[in-house]
Amino acid sequence: MRLGKLRRYRPLSLLLGVVLFLIVMMQVAYLSRQQALEELQQQAVANMGRYVLSVQQKLDRYKDLPQVMASHSRLRDALAEPEDAGRIDRANRYLQQITDVVGATDSYLMGPDGVTLASSNWDKEKSFVGLNFSFRPYFQDALAGRAGRYFALGTTSRKRGYYFSWPVQQQDEVTGVVVVKIDLHEIEQDWNDPLQDIAVTDEDGIIVIATRPEWKFHALRQLSQVDLQRIVGSLRYLDHPLAALEVVRRERLEGDAELITLLEGERISGKALDGLTTSEYLLVQRPVPGTGLNVSIMARLASVNEAVLQAMVLAAFVYIALVLLVLFLQARWRIGRERRAFQRRELNALAERERQVSAIITNTHAGLITLDSQGRVESVNPTAEKLFGITAESIRDYAFTELIRPEEHEACERVIGAASCRDMPELTLESSGVRADGSHFPIELTIGCMALAGDRHFIVTVHDMTERKQYEDELQRAREALETRVEERTSDLRRTNDRLLEEMQQHRSTQNELIQTAKLAVLGQLAAGINHELNQPLTAIRNYADNAAAFLKLNKPERVEVNLQEIAGLTERMAKIIHPLKEFSRQSSDQPGPTSLKAVRDGAMSMMYGRLDKSGVELNWPELNDIYVLGDTLRLEQVLVNLLSNALQAMAQSPVKRIDVTLEQAEGLVRLKLHDTGPGIAADDMQRVFEPFFTTKQRGEGLGLGLSISHRIMENLGGRLSVANHPQGGALFTLELPAVAEREYKEMP
């Protein structure tokens, strides 16, 4: 009855706990927020002095510079005679030198009418010379005989600058004004705090320096129409709109601080606020003495929100811990009552389990024998009785070792004689059981220790191994037969492998002979072009020799020497023409190494340019300087010559004859692609292009070995040769080779 009553009040208790939890969380959130805001305000005020000092130090470096410059003779001479070009030039150079030395942006000299007479940027495109800045307040202050300070955008440079001015006086009369302009961009770069934004405003509240670029030339407060017209009319910030930051909420705090909420982002369309977000800042301001500028720190409330969150999490943890403690005490009382009922159920279950264990022991297929602490038999299950041909009564109090062969008695006695179950080693062994009739049979037994009623007992598990031993004997006979067959098969395989190695060696020799034969075939095709190339220098040599003989008769040895030099040059040219053929025809090395693609191209072109010119083919190569691959120069030359020769034959009937070679480098590979303007390759022939003796040429034009040999060369070099039809027509052959790193080919001998 009492339990049912408690259950009826459980929903009400749960609701009361939730309401109390919400009240606690709200109070903790309010107090922690107030404390975090005070700490953030103190931190911002502490940092404010550093930022104000950095602005003031920057300005103080230059504030006295115009006064010093105003007393210089070059500037006074320029004001005395502004029409004298020499004096103006000296003033320009003086201002330029001073500006470069002190690191200012610009400095210039103005006459009493506001016209700039000399400037540090006199030699620049946007020079101040000749411009009138009489409308600037800094000029008006200096003309009135006092120092001027002013921040504005330059009307010529359109860059931000702080202006210092000082009057040039002669006999108590202001004859001109010296102005120095500095850039405060360095301050903006040095201010970098991820938790707070810094802004510098003028006396009207316009932001002129900010760590957030989008805030520049915006007002912290809404400007009146009169102030806005005044600022725009002064051209202080040129054509910038001077809009105010979108502050949607302000909250005044103690110590001249404010909490403000800004709308940030971009509107998506019309007056919709879909693209805007709100951000909260703590605003603290302080003026920079004597400058007309104010430094504002806008600290983000991320640390405040984090402190509130931590406080709420801690409060929630404490509240939940208290609730759990109450629930624990309540549950403990309920568990104590249920434990007594559980103990009654466990006693009943224990009796049932004992009955089940007894049934398992009786019906198991393994023999189980229990021993006392001396190793005497206490009980035997039916399976053990059947195995040994005994009864439990007939063997009780007998030593267990009487049931096994004598060789294992010592091992069993050593285990049973251990000081405790903890010191007893686990024993599993194979032995022979002794039946009541004296016969033996193979068994596997395991002796385990168990503690009952404070005394040691042992349990012996016995498995009949008769079937297993028969299986092992059969398995051993099968293993021996298998080993005999394996030895015979190994001998056959060894002989077969020797024959394969011999055939592979013969195949490699045949392949090298085919490659060399293909080279010689290409050389035969190139003979006509080489003949044409040699005929020209031979004819020229004959002419130069005849001329030398004629000049010798005319006693003109100097002309004879010129003709002989020409003959020597022509013979050197003929040697260069013949040398690539000799290199191409000789056998190459089998080991790939760092190879220059430029050298490969030059070698192939030395053999092909005659045929290319004769066929009227345009060949376009990419830039191959410093491109190295893992390969062999001679074999790669042969591949290129084969591909170019096939392209020439394929374009024999094409109206446009052009071969475009492109280069690609990616993932440690170099790909060289050759695209011709021929008819391409038929779809049915695409899979057979690299087969030996496959050709689409007329009888007598080729054996069909060139592409097959080229394909095999690329595979031997660790590369790949593939073919496809180009989308714009014609065949596209791709040579792919491993790239060689720059340090590897630079270390080549």
Side-chain angles (χ1 to χ4, degrees):
M1 179 68 69
R2 185 175 181 182
L3 182 61
K5 187 175 181 180
L6 289 175
R7 288 178 177 174
R8 287 198 301 271
Y9 286 106
R10 183 174 295 174
L12 182 61
S13 300
L14 180 62
L15 178 61
L16 180 62
V18 171
V19 172
L20 181 60
F21 176 76
L22 294 176
I23 293 174
V24 171
M25 290 296 101
M26 292 173 60
Q27 188 66 19
V28 168
Y30 173 77
L31 295 176
S32 60
R33 178 178 173 84
Q34 292 300 114
Q35 181 180 0
L37 282 174
E38 292 178 2
E39 294 177 355
L40 183 62
Q41 183 177 350
Q42 293 174 0
Q43 182 180 0
V45 170
N47 292 334
M48 177 65 76
R50 177 164 55 89
Y51 296 125
V52 170
L53 182 61
S54 65
V55 175
Q56 194 167 16
Q57 288 178 343
K58 176 71 174 179
L59 297 179
D60 288 347
R61 288 171 54 191
Y62 301 95
K63 67 177 182 178
D64 297 327
L65 184 59
Q67 182 178 1
V68 175
M69 295 169 63
S71 62
H72 199 276
S73 59
R74 292 187 182 181
L75 301 186
R76 291 178 175 272
D77 292 344
L79 288 172
E81 296 187 27
E83 302 299 330
D84 189 338
R87 295 189 176 191
I88 295 297
D89 181 67
R90 287 191 293 273
N92 283 331
R93 297 184 183 278
Y94 168 72
L95 292 173
Q96 185 180 31
Q97 181 182 7
I98 290 297
T99 302
D100 293 341
V101 170
V102 301
T105 303
D106 296 297
S107 60
Y108 47 98
L109 176 66
M110 303 169 61
D113 55 354
V115 176
T116 303
L117 301 178
S119 174
S120 61
N121 62 359
W122 59 275
D123 56 345
K124 301 296 188 301
E125 181 180 354
K126 294 183 179 182
S127 174
F128 295 165
V129 176
L131 300 181
N132 192 321
F133 299 118
S134 60
F135 62 92
R136 291 295 197 186
Y138 62 78
F139 172 78
Q140 298 168 8
D141 290 341
L143 197 64
R146 58 181 179 271
R149 291 189 176 190
Y150 191 62
F151 185 94
L153 289 179
T155 57
T156 302
S157 64
R158 303 185 65 86
K159 295 182 179 179
R160 297 172 298 171
Y162 196 87
Y163 297 84
F164 293 96
S165 63
W166 188 264
V168 180
Q169 296 181 341
Q170 293 184 0
Q171 298 179 356
D172 297 332
E173 178 183 357
V174 176
T175 60
V177 174
V178 177
V179 182
V180 174
K181 176 183 176 182
I182 63 172
D183 186 2
L184 299 182
H185 183 65
E186 295 179 359
I187 298 177
E188 197 172 58
Q189 290 180 327
D190 294 339
W191 291 346
N192 183 15
D193 193 330
L195 298 179
Q196 57 188 13
D197 296 304
I198 303 97
V200 177
T201 60
D202 64 6
E203 60 272 11
D204 294 312
I206 304 297
I207 298 175
V208 295
I209 299 174
T211 55
R212 296 276 294 273
E214 64 271 18
W215 287 357
K216 292 176 185 177
F217 308 114
H218 285 71
L220 286 178
R221 295 183 179 273
Q222 196 69 34
L223 295 173
S224 66
Q225 194 63 28
V226 175
D227 291 337
L228 187 60
Q229 291 178 354
R230 172 178 56 80
I231 297 171
V232 172
S234 68
L235 298 179
R236 188 174 191 177
Y237 301 114
L238 303 180
D239 54 355
H240 287 280
L242 305 180
L245 295 178
E246 298 188 64
V247 181
V248 297
R249 188 176 70 86
R250 292 180 182 270
E251 181 182 346
R252 196 71 183 178
L253 302 178
E254 296 181 359
D256 295 331
E258 286 184 295
L259 275 180
I260 64 174
T261 303
L262 291 182
L263 282 179
E264 297 180 326
E266 297 182 358
R267 289 182 171 84
I268 294 179
S269 61
K271 296 182 179 180
L273 301 179
D274 297 339
L276 297 180
T277 58
T278 58
S279 301
E280 286 188 296
Y281 296 91
L282 175 68
L283 175 62
V284 179
Q285 293 181 306
R286 179 181 294 180
V288 181
T291 64
L293 301 178
N294 297 282
V295 176
S296 302
I297 293 181
M298 299 177 69
R300 298 181 180 89
L301 300 188
S303 60
V304 175
N305 296 332
E306 183 178 355
V308 172
L309 179 61
Q310 291 177 352
M312 293 181 67
V313 169
L314 180 61
F317 177 78
V318 173
Y319 184 87
I320 293 173
L322 292 176
V323 171
L324 291 177
L325 179 61
V326 173
L327 294 177
F328 170 76
L329 295 176
Q330 183 181 4
R332 186 174 181 181
W333 171 80
R334 185 175 66 253
I335 290 172
R337 185 184 60 189
E338 293 177 352
R339 181 179 297 168
R340 291 185 291 273
F342 174 77
Q343 289 176 348
R344 289 192 297 270
R345 292 194 300 270
E346 282 295 306
L347 289 175
N348 295 332
L350 180 60
E352 180 64 24
R353 284 197 295 272
E354 287 179 351
R355 288 193 295 271
Q356 292 176 355
V357 170
S358 177
I360 291 172
I361 292 175
T362 301
N363 297 287
T364 183
H365 292 288
L368 298 178
I369 304 173
T370 60
L371 311 177
D372 61 12
S373 59
Q374 302 301 319
R376 294 187 295 267
V377 177
E378 289 184 330
S379 65
V380 180
N381 75 335
T383 302
E385 290 179 338
K386 187 182 297 184
L387 288 175
F388 290 94
I390 58 174
T391 62
E393 294 297 332
S394 65
I395 198 66
R396 183 176 291 117
D397 294 332
Y398 278 77
F400 163 71
T401 54
E402 295 184 8
L403 298 176
I404 60 176
R405 66 184 180 184
E407 288 81 352
E408 277 77 34
H409 288 184
E410 183 180 355
C412 295
E413 291 171 354
R414 186 169 56 254
V415 171
I416 295 173
S420 63
C421 288
R422 182 177 301 176
D423 299 330
M424 169 185 161
E426 182 179 348
L427 176 64
T428 299
L429 54 84
E430 293 184 5
S431 181
S432 293
V434 181
R435 293 191 176 97
D437 58 5
S439 61
H440 291 71
F441 65 101
I443 61 172
E444 181 185 67
L445 61 87
T446 301
I447 301 178
C449 183
M450 56 184 180
L452 295 175
D455 197 4
R456 286 190 307 152
H457 293 261
F458 303 94
I459 182 168
V460 181
T461 305
V462 181
H463 295 277
D464 187 357
M465 301 287 289
T466 302
E467 293 183 1
R468 178 177 171 182
K469 287 297 182 181
Q470 292 174 353
Y471 173 76
E472 288 179 352
D473 292 340
E474 294 175 358
L475 184 62
Q476 179 64 26
R477 289 193 295 271
R479 183 182 296 110
E480 292 174 354
L482 179 61
E483 289 178 355
T484 302
R485 290 197 296 270
V486 167
E487 289 179 359
E488 294 174 354
R489 184 59 178 165
T490 301
S491 178
D492 293 341
L493 289 175
R494 187 178 297 108
R495 289 192 295 271
T496 303
N497 185 48
D498 292 339
R499 288 197 300 271
L500 285 176
L501 290 175
E502 182 179 356
E503 291 176 1
M504 288 176 61
Q505 184 63 32
Q506 294 175 356
H507 176 72
R508 187 176 295 108
S509 299
T510 303
Q511 175 184 326
N512 292 335
E513 291 175 1
L514 284 175
I515 293 174
Q516 192 67 13
T517 302
K519 286 185 178 182
L520 297 177
V522 173
L523 288 175
Q525 296 175 7
L526 299 177
I530 298 301
N531 183 46
H532 174 72
E533 293 297 324
L534 292 178
N535 279 337
Q536 290 181 351
L538 283 173
T539 303
I541 288 173
R542 178 59 181 271
N543 292 333
Y544 282 123
D546 292 342
N547 290 340
F551 286 127
L552 188 61
K553 292 178 180 180
L554 296 175
N555 197 20
K556 293 183 178 181
E558 66 281 357
R559 301 301 300 272
V560 173
E561 183 179 357
V562 171
N563 282 268
L564 292 177
Q565 290 176 352
E566 294 293 337
I567 290 174
L570 290 171
T571 56
E572 183 178 354
R573 176 184 171 188
M574 292 170 66
K576 290 181 179 179
I577 293 173
I578 295 173
H579 178 73
L581 295 177
K582 293 168 61 181
E583 289 293 320
F584 183 74
S585 61
R586 70 179 176 87
Q587 292 279 2
S588 62
S589 62
D590 291 333
Q591 296 299 325
T595 303
S596 169
L597 281 187
K598 180 178 181 299
V600 173
R601 179 199 64 189
D602 294 344
M605 287 301 297
S606 66
M607 291 176 283
M608 289 298 300
Y609 71 89
R611 294 182 61 190
L612 293 171
D613 291 343
K614 183 178 179 181
S615 301
V617 174
E618 176 187 353
L619 178 56
N620 300 314
W621 286 94
E623 178 61 41
L624 297 179
N625 288 333
D626 297 331
I627 304 298
Y628 286 78
V629 297
L630 190 64
D632 179 80
T633 303
L634 297 179
R635 286 190 280 179
L636 289 179
E637 285 179 6
Q638 181 175 356
V639 173
L640 278 182
V641 169
N642 286 339
L643 295 179
L644 294 174
S645 298
N646 286 347
L648 290 181
Q649 294 177 357
M651 295 187 297
Q653 305 300 325
S654 298
V656 177
K657 299 180 180 180
R658 186 179 70 253
I659 302 175
D660 294 321
V661 185
T662 57
L663 177 70
E664 294 180 1
Q665 299 185 71
E667 300 177 356
L669 295 175
V670 174
R671 297 183 182 91
L672 203 64
K673 298 185 176 182
L674 287 80
H675 169 219
D676 61 53
T677 56
I681 300 173
D684 296 338
D685 298 337
M686 188 66 71
Q687 301 299 326
R688 304 184 60 195
V689 167
F690 297 119
E691 292 182 4
F693 304 108
F694 174 76
T695 179
T696 59
K697 302 173 185 177
Q698 298 296 326
R699 183 180 299 273
E701 293 184 1
L703 298 177
L705 290 175
L707 289 179
S708 175
I709 291 174
S710 298
H711 188 266
R712 184 61 59 86
I713 288 173
M714 292 299 293
E715 287 184 344
N716 291 342
L717 293 177
R720 190 167 68 96
L721 175 62
S722 58
V723 64
N725 284 324
H726 198 276
Q728 299 178 1
L732 178 66
F733 285 87
T734 302
L735 287 81
E736 185 176 284
L737 287 163
V740 175
E742 180 180 358
R743 64 176 181 275
E744 295 183 26
Y745 68 74
K746 285 187 175 180
E747 293 174 358
M748 290 190 304

